[in-house]
Amino acid sequence: MTFDDVAAIGAVQARAFFDDPLQMWAIPDAALRLELLERMFTLLARVVNVPSGEAYTDTSLSAAAFWVAPGRYGEPLAREARAELATLEQQVSAEILLRLTLANDAMHGAHPHDAHWYLQGIGTDPSARGRGLASALIEIVTARADAAEVPCYLESTKAENVGLYERHGFVVTGTISVPEGGPTLWPMWRIPNPLPRGVGPRTGG
């Protein structure tokens, strides 16, 4: 993904996550959700995902996947990125910001300590689903992970998406409960194909 793709991908991800249980809980006002998600995804793509070098899309800009390379999860953001994110946070209601923070903290607390590739987010425009775009964007990195014998990790925010990830070798390792009535998430771990399966990650508390 390049900086030229950011605006289009922000809109695509907003449509992809509009009916996501986590986003519906965090931003219950449907009239606000699409516009706010587009702003959030556009900003994050521009200041975090594209600069990381591990953001991917297809030629039609209908899907995107945001990966975090091993050892880079939790790295401090550049000062300019922190400033832009802080500006957006100031424009969001206290209730929405609290819910987003609760969800982020819950996911962070369950995040594995072992070195791994992290699929931070992936979404396909509803009009382009069923074409295998998400699978292709997953396989870009899982192939690299297999070659380097490095595990992968993600949190599924939709029960119906668990099967997709299982087809790519991910296994559910438990559940994450977001406080204050938030949804259930499914952490999933993928052991690289050259290694024996059955060993789970160490997680935080």
Side-chain angles (χ1 to χ4, degrees), residues 52-77:
S52 79
E54 300 296 349
Y56 300 92
T57 186
D58 68 295
T59 55
S60 68
L61 303 182
S62 297
F66 309 107
W67 288 88
V68 178
R72 301 200 63 179
Y73 174 77
E75 279 188 350
L77 297 175

Side-chain angles (χ1 to χ4, degrees), residues 2 16 23 42 59 76 84 109 115 127 129 136 138 140 152 166 186 192 204:
T2 70
Q23 305 305 331
T42 299
T59 55
E84 291 203 51
S127 65
R129 289 172 181 165
I138 291 171
I140 286 173
C152 300
E166 287 178 335
W186 292 266

Side-chain angles (χ1 to χ4, degrees), residues 29-50:
D29 184 348
L32 172 65
R33 190 182 314 129
L34 190 66
E35 183 262 339
L36 183 53
L37 286 176
E38 183 170 349
R39 290 170 60 197
M40 290 168 55
F41 278 113
T42 299
L43 177 59
L44 287 170
R46 180 166 56 81
V47 303
V48 179
N49 303 125
V50 171

Side-chain angles (χ1 to χ4, degrees), residues 23-29 32-33 35-37 39-40 85-102:
Q23 305 305 331
M24 293 175 68
W25 170 75
I27 314 172
D29 184 348
L32 172 65
R33 190 182 314 129
E35 183 262 339
L36 183 53
L37 286 176
R39 290 170 60 197
M40 290 168 55
L85 289 170
T87 298
L88 178 59
E89 288 176 354
Q90 292 168 3
Q91 300 168 0
V92 174
S93 74
E95 179 184 9
I96 291 174
L97 185 58
L98 173 61
R99 291 185 177 197
L100 291 172
T101 300
L102 287 171

Side-chain angles (χ1 to χ4, degrees), residues 143-188:
R144 293 165 61 188
D146 284 346
E149 299 191 355
V150 176
C152 300
Y153 175 75
L154 60 83
E155 304 102 353
S156 180
T157 55
K158 275 187 174 181
E160 53 264 44
N161 289 345
V162 168
L164 166 66
Y165 301 129
E166 287 178 335
R167 291 194 291 275
H168 290 278
F170 288 87
V171 176
V172 173
T173 59
T175 58
I176 300 171
S177 297
V178 179
E180 303 296 330
T184 296
L185 313 180
W186 292 266
M188 302 187 72

